[in-house]
Amino acid sequence: MTISLRQSLFQLLFFGVFITALLIMANVWTITSKAALDQVSKNIDVANTVLEQLMAERSNQLLNSARVLTDDFGFKQAVATGDIPTIQSVLENHSQRIDADFMAILDLSGQVIESQPAIFAKDTAFPFPEIVRSVLENGGADDALIVNDGLYQVIMLPIYAPNPIAIAGIGFLNGDAFLRDVKSIIQADIIVSLHSQSSSNPVVLHSSLPRYKAERVIAANQQTLNWFDVTFFRSAPYLIRQIALPDTISKEVTITLAVDVSNHFDNFSALQFSILVISLMAIAGSLLVSMFMAHRVSKPVASLVDAANQLANGNYDKSFRTHGKLREINALSVAFVRMKDSIQQRQESILTQSRQDLLTGLYNRGYMETLIEQQLNSGKKLQVIGINIRDFRTINDLYGYSNGDACIVTIAERIKEWSGTAARLSGGELVWFANEPLTQEQIESFHASLELPVITNQVVMSVKIIFTIINCPEDATSTQDLLRKMNILLDEGEQGAAWCLYFNNDVEQRYLRRLNIITELKKVLQTQQDELSLVYQPKVDLHNGKVNGLEALIRWNSKTLGFVPPDEFICIAEQAGFIEKVTDWVFSQVIRDVLFLKGNNISLQPAINLSMQDIQNRPLLEKLIQLLHENSLSTRDITLEITESDLVADANLAIDNLTFLRNKGFSIAIDDFGTGYSSLAYLKHLPVTDIKIDKSFVLNLSADSEDQQIVHTILSLSNIFDLKVVAEGVEDAQTMNILTEWGCDTAQGYFITRPLPLSELVEWLDRTEYF
Ligand code: C2E
Ligand code: CA
Ligand code: CA
């Protein structure tokens, strides 16, 4: 079980004072009580002594007066002669002189001769024969007598003439009046009581106290007292001491000294009471002080505890500052404040780090998602612009990662100049939005500001930026949806040349189709399948009108997607990076078909279409050569067609590999000439043997004078560079004629025949006039 600090402080303070007060009180109480008791018993001792002295004094006085009486010659004579009137008169005189209460004359046998006052009847026997005997034996007796319920102190002496002739007795009554006198001397009450055989209670004979009180004191018989009795039994506040009577008959008589202790104790009681009051006040005071102290300590501690709990819950607003007077508590609160500050700082820096993209200092993907979510939830119109560095991978490949990083950092710095919220999602993908959608002009100047060349210490890089723009809530209502659609736009953007793409459903449909094609085609290439096939389109030598070659063209009849045009899936496979697999398939298929044709005595070289990626793939090219070798074919049994594209990761590698192929003996044609980037002047540096005029210039050649001009120029220049020219897309006789007339080397097109499956090709060759 635990108790609160406040309780514990309170207990400590309060019980400390309480126990101390209690101890002091008890101590004072017992000491004072004991002192009081001591004083009382001393008093009673004194009273006792004084009483004894008084009695002795009285006894002396009695003895003296008895001697005077017994030595009186006249008296002796009167006794000896039995002269009663003289005896009476002497006794009377004497008694008056010494104020005796009792005088008597006995004869030696104990018969009363005279008694004044007449408490003993004349001529009767004295009722205390032991005294008579003692007087005769010892020459006198000092004793106390109970007569008629009165206690007399008596002295009895023999009267000598010269032999004893009689006994004289003289006594004082120790009555109430006497006792009261004594009391004023000894400061104690005196009670004379009688224990008779008949009654169990002693009977009070004389007392300085009123009778009823005296009886009570006797009955209480309080011989000792302790402080407890004194304190709590105030009803009988007399301490008594029984003192012995001088002599014999006293067995039944008791003299009790009684001291009224209440007087003594009252002083001490007053002291005790005041100490009690002081103690109680101290306890009450300590109660208040300890409550106050406990409050003063526990309140700031409680508020610190509260603040610490708030801190644990991530609430940093609660103040830890306490402004009490307790130094340690204040120090604790200062330490708490410091702890809070450092936790807060650390948390903030962790938070910032967790939100930041370390390279650019922009937000990272995770935090951007939250921010976009907030914007979307606010219900406002939101235009989110995806900012993508086109072919960022190629930049990394070409210039190295440090330059790639520098490129991103530069773009990020440029973005920061536009007020808005920006984040880097990954690689060269960034995202930006502002409070208000940008206008078309703003978008254009934003884009232009980002596309400035990036200059580092080592290189100057020209960058192309693709903007992918999602307008919310029309295009997307959730962050995930938004980012997904932005991805789709980017994918689309990377296929084409457009720099700014807006989302619409067609884009998404195209994307989904592309995705389907990729998955399906990959699947098809991995399994033994009959979905892919090759068709062959013959080429005709225009100089002699005979077939001089074939072009192998791939076909895909997908079970799930239906017929997919090669233009479409070849392009997708190139972008998705697995064109190598397609080419590989074509290689083996073409080699099989070449062997088949040779077996049928047809010696025609099929042209294989290589994509630019294939040209940069040396192992693939070597594999082709190896395949030819394995099948005892030579590099002259097939030809190659390549289409130049605008972005070649490594142009030198491409040229090296083309040279390698050329040196191995392959004929190489540049495909789709006229559409791309290759000029004839440039081709001079490429190890190619043929150019294929793109079908777009040929299809309408007979009618289109512009096309005629282009084709004519190409034909004349190729003559200068010593390149053979193939015209593809020849659809009519007129075109064939024009091309023949202008000295074109080879023609290919539907006019001759459409591309044919191998078996149909064989049939066609069998019946055509071109073979
Ligand atoms: P390309 O290499 O320019 O192939 C010639 C295309 O022109 C073929 O289309 C062919 O059918 C078509 N053609 C031939 N004569 C005529 C004509 O008189 N009129 C018209 N309108 N068209 C004609 P296809 O087979 O659809 O191939 C399209 C493109 O797909 C090819 O263009 C080539 O770039 C690519 N391709 C086809 N097969 C392969 C392949 O095995 N590997 C690679 N890398 N690309 C291939
Ligand atoms: Ca071709
Ligand atoms: Ca072509």
Side-chain angles (χ1 to χ4, degrees), residues 667-729:
S667 301
I668 303 167
I670 288 289
D671 210 344
D672 299 343
F673 190 81
T675 56
Y677 296 75
S678 38
S679 69
L680 273 171
Y682 171 70
L683 284 186
K684 204 175 71 172
H685 305 289
L686 287 183
V688 298
T689 48
D690 299 62
I691 54 174
K692 283 185 87 172
I693 304 174
D694 189 71
K695 61 178 177 283
S696 59
F697 306 109
V698 181
L699 290 173
N700 293 315
L701 189 69
S702 53
D704 193 318
S705 59
E706 222 171 286
D707 287 348
Q708 287 174 8
Q709 226 168 4
I710 294 167
V711 171
H712 196 265
T713 313
I714 294 173
L715 282 170
S716 12
L717 286 173
S718 64
N719 206 24
I720 300 169
F721 293 112
D722 198 19
L723 291 165
K724 294 221 174 306
V725 178
V726 183
E728 66 179 2

Side-chain angles (χ1 to χ4, degrees), residues 459-470:
V459 287
V460 176
M461 296 173 277
S462 68
V463 284
K464 293 268 166 249
I465 302 289
I466 305 172
F467 272 14
T468 50
I469 300 178
I470 305 276

